[in-house]
Amino acid sequence: MPPPTSPVLVTKIKVQLKLAIARLRMVQKRDEALAKTQRRAMAQLLEQNKVDSARIRVENIIRSDIITELHEILELYCELLLARAGLLEASPTCDPGLEEAVKSIIYAAPKTEIKELQTVRTLLAEKFGKDFVLQATENSDGKVSEGVVKKLSVTPPKDELVQGYLEEIARAYGVDWPKGKNKELGDPPDFMDDDESPSGGQAQRVLEEPLVAVDEGAAAELKAQEELSKATPPKSFGPASPLHVNPPSPSTDNIHPKVTLNRMELTTPTKKPAAVARKPVEKQGDGVPDLDELAKRFAQLKR
């Protein structure tokens, strides 16, 4: 019979779960940085043709990747427990929805370097009892995640996995290993018959000739349009009209408009009064003009 649940105990579990999640994420980043350095060293060994040394050391990289995947799984389980913390308070027994996560953490915590995770294990043991912890540690009921059990198993990697790691590292860092692997397949087969289809050079010429013809035709048409736009139409172009009137304007642009008929300027005749010939006034002996002569001049002007 598990001990009764205390709200303080659940609060401690939640705090330690948050600390464990932060620690797991930090360790994952550290392991990723170390893995990059180790892969670079493996590439140098392969470049120097030290294959035996690289095969032994690459097992450390494989193991580091497995531990990183284990940390990711445990981080997800911690987040699950934190999200379902209400179920921990509801009952003193383990809820079926939390059983896999709780037992996986209890099973994996002693085999990891995460101290916060071991503290969570201790608090879970205090909540659910020693029998529950013993059952999870031995995995007698098979409730622990298969991925966690597999990643914590101590077995040497297979030769195929080691070879695949080395080839992937060599490809990532541009190392030619194994030597001449890219040339094993040979040249690609030629499935094209020369009689059925043109060769590469002929096909290229066939494709280029219509393009050249189209380009030349377009250039000639463009040039003709430019010349046509620049040309000035002749004066005899279109139907000729015998009458042409220049547009008059009251402004200074066209002060004197002209009207032409058959290219001859038409002018409006203007009549001017005939000049009256003036005759000298005959003076009398005493210098006084003759009255009869003046009367005749006035009569002519009145006409």
Side-chain angles (χ1 to χ4, degrees):
M1 183 70 181
T5 305
S6 173
V8 178
L9 180 61
V10 175
T11 303
K12 290 181 180 180
I13 293 175
K14 292 167 64 176
V15 171
Q16 293 300 322
L17 285 172
K18 293 179 181 179
L19 295 176
I21 292 172
R23 177 70 65 178
L24 286 168
R25 292 175 179 174
M26 185 179 66
V27 171
Q28 291 175 38
K29 292 181 179 179
R30 182 202 64 186
D31 293 342
E32 289 176 359
L34 291 175
K36 290 181 180 179
T37 305
Q38 293 175 353
R39 282 180 170 83
R40 192 177 297 108
M42 292 299 102
Q44 293 176 357
L45 291 175
L46 294 176
E47 190 174 7
Q48 297 171 4
N49 202 21
K50 296 180 180 180
V51 182
D52 296 337
S53 178
R55 287 183 179 277
I56 295 174
R57 296 185 181 184
V58 77
E59 293 185 8
N60 294 329
I61 299 177
I62 297 174
R63 188 61 189 171
S64 178
D65 291 347
I66 293 174
I67 296 300
T68 300
E69 294 175 359
L70 173 65
H71 290 165
E72 292 176 355
I73 296 174
L74 294 177
E75 180 186 348
L76 293 176
Y77 282 144
C78 290
E79 291 179 351
L80 178 63
L81 290 180
L82 191 61
R84 299 180 181 179
L87 297 177
L88 295 175
E89 300 176 357
S91 174
T93 59
C94 184
D95 188 90
L98 301 176
E99 190 172 4
E100 180 180 347
V102 171
K103 289 188 175 182
S104 297
I105 291 175
I106 293 174
Y107 178 86
K111 302 175 183 180
T112 62
E113 59 177 335
I114 310 300
K115 296 181 180 180
E116 291 79 4
L117 206 60
Q118 297 175 9
T119 305
V120 172
R121 182 182 185 274
T122 303
L123 295 174
L124 291 174
E126 183 180 350
K127 174 175 174 55
F128 297 113
K130 294 181 179 179
D131 295 337
F132 184 88
V133 173
L134 181 61
Q135 188 179 16
T137 303
E138 296 177 355
N139 193 21
S140 57
D141 55 354
K143 296 294 185 179
V144 180
S145 173
E146 294 182 1
V148 173
V149 175
K150 184 178 179 180
K151 294 182 186 305
L152 287 174
S153 61
V154 183
T155 55
K158 297 181 180 181
D159 294 338
E160 294 82 1
L161 182 60
V162 173
Q163 183 70 16
Y165 259 78
L166 292 176
E167 291 181 359
E168 184 65 22
I169 291 172
R171 186 189 65 81
Y173 287 91
V175 179
D176 187 12
W177 188 90
K179 299 292 183 180
K181 179 183 178 182
N182 297 330
K183 298 181 181 180
E184 291 180 356
L185 298 178
D187 298 332
D190 187 8
F191 296 102
M192 185 177 291
D193 190 2
D194 294 338
D195 297 336
E196 295 179 358
S197 59
S199 61
Q202 294 177 354
Q204 184 69 18
R205 288 194 298 271
V206 170
L207 292 174
E208 289 179 355
E209 287 177 359
L211 295 176
V212 172
V214 172
D215 293 342
E216 292 179 354
E221 184 178 357
L222 182 61
K223 185 177 180 180
Q225 292 179 357
E226 292 179 355
E227 293 180 353
L228 183 61
S229 62
K230 295 179 181 179
T232 303
K235 296 182 179 180
S236 59
F237 182 77
S241 176
L243 182 63
H244 175 72
V245 178
N246 290 330
S249 175
S251 64
T252 57
D253 295 337
N254 191 5
I255 302 176
H256 303 289
K258 298 180 181 180
V259 179
T260 59
L261 178 61
N262 293 330
R263 300 181 182 180
M264 295 180 63
E265 182 179 355
L266 298 180
T267 58
T268 303
T270 57
K271 294 183 179 180
K272 296 182 180 180
V276 179
R278 295 181 180 182
K279 295 182 179 180
V281 180
E282 295 181 358
K283 298 181 180 180
Q284 296 177 0
D286 54 359
V288 178
D290 188 1
L291 295 177
D292 296 334
E293 188 66 26
L294 291 175
K296 291 180 181 179
R297 289 183 182 179
F298 282 117
Q300 291 180 357
L301 290 175
K302 288 181 180 180
R303 292 177 184 175

